[in-house]
């Protein structure tokens, strides 16, 4: 099953844990907040299967639980 992700920028504190754990998935924007690189944090592009383990670890290590994971696209 595909896995989709999005960072809640309202709760992200820009600690950089996610980028350190999964640099192929996450980056920090000009404000220092994390986002999903694959689809510019839209949550509509499935995460490649070979990166799902890193994604899950990053979500677990997020101190503000700002990384949202779903089995379907995340539309606002």
């Amino acid at each position: 099953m595909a896995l989709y992700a999005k960072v809640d920028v309202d709760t992200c504190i820009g600690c950089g844990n996610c980028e350190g754990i999964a640099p192929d998935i996450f980056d920090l924007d000009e404000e220092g907040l994390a986002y999903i690189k694959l689809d510019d944090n839209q949550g509509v592009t499935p995460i490649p299967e070979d990166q799902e383990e890193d994604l899950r670890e990053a979500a677990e290590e997020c101190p503000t639980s700002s990384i949202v994971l779903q089995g379907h696209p995340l539309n606002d």
Side-chain angles (χ1 to χ4, degrees), residues 23-60:
D24 291 336
I25 300 171
F26 297 94
D27 202 355
L28 301 179
D29 66 14
E30 61 278 347
E31 295 176 18
L33 301 177
Y35 70 96
I36 306 291
K37 295 191 310 185
L38 298 172
D39 63 6
D40 200 30
N41 207 48
Q42 298 303 302
V44 296
T45 302
I47 302 298
E49 195 172 310
D50 65 338
Q51 295 177 4
E52 287 182 5
E53 185 176 330
D54 288 344
L55 174 66
R56 290 182 191 280
E57 181 181 347
E60 289 175 13

